[in-house]
């Protein structure tokens, strides 16, 4: 759940801004005077799916400028392929370990 991820990242010193749905996330990113270092998206969100949000982000921000990691309980090959085809840099299936998530985030921030 969102709070678990937020707490995990906060413990490691990351600043987290949470949004409750995809529309809010797109609006927040569009109106901020800076580009976030990374976006974590759940595939299953209200209003717009993570796939839709990622595809819209890719219209303005290439993967090298704004890394996107999708997190989802959907772990089938087709769900992962859909995520990658929508433009995400990485896909993490739930349940995941704290260390795995932090390693994947760290890798994207270094690229």
């Amino acid at each position: 759940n969102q709070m678990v991820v937020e707490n995990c990242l906060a413990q490691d010193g990351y600043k987290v801004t949470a949004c409750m749905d995809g529309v809010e996330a797109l609006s927040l990113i569009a109106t901020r005077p800076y580009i976030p270092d990374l976006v974590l998206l759940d595939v299953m969100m209200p209003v717009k799916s993570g796939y839709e949000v990622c595809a819209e982000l890719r219209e303005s921000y290439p993967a090298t400028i704004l890394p996107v990691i999708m997190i989802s309980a959907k772990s089938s090959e087709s769900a992962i392929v859909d995520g990658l085809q929508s433009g995400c840099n990485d896909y993490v299936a739930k349940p995941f370990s704290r260390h795995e998530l932090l390693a994947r985030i760290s890798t994207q921030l270094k690229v």
Side-chain angles (χ1 to χ4, degrees), residues 18-33:
C19 295
M20 297 314 294
D21 62 59
V23 172
E24 181 184 355
L26 289 168
S27 175
L28 183 71
I29 291 168
T31 58
R32 286 226 165 141

Side-chain angles (χ1 to χ4, degrees), residues 33-95:
Y34 59 88
I35 299 170
D37 294 326
L38 180 111
V39 173
L40 294 175
L41 287 176
D42 196 322
V43 169
M44 297 179 284
M45 296 187 297
V47 187
K48 287 189 181 213
S49 73
Y51 302 134
E52 293 170 308
V53 173
C54 189
E56 285 189 42
L57 286 173
R58 289 295 171 245
E59 292 174 11
S60 302
Y61 308 100
T64 54
I65 300 297
L66 180 58
V68 174
I69 298 176
M70 287 200 181
I71 299 175
S72 182
K74 291 184 170 192
S75 59
S76 69
E77 180 181 347
S78 64
I80 294 168
V81 168
D82 287 345
L84 294 169
Q85 288 179 337
S86 73
C88 74
N89 298 65
D90 199 357
Y91 192 106
V92 180
K94 295 177 188 175

Side-chain angles (χ1 to χ4, degrees), residues 85-107:
Q85 288 179 337
S86 73
C88 74
N89 298 65
D90 199 357
Y91 192 106
V92 180
K94 295 177 188 175
F96 53 85
S97 75
R98 176 180 183 275
H99 297 292
E100 176 189 2
L101 180 61
L102 292 172
R104 289 175 182 268
I105 290 170
S106 178
T107 297

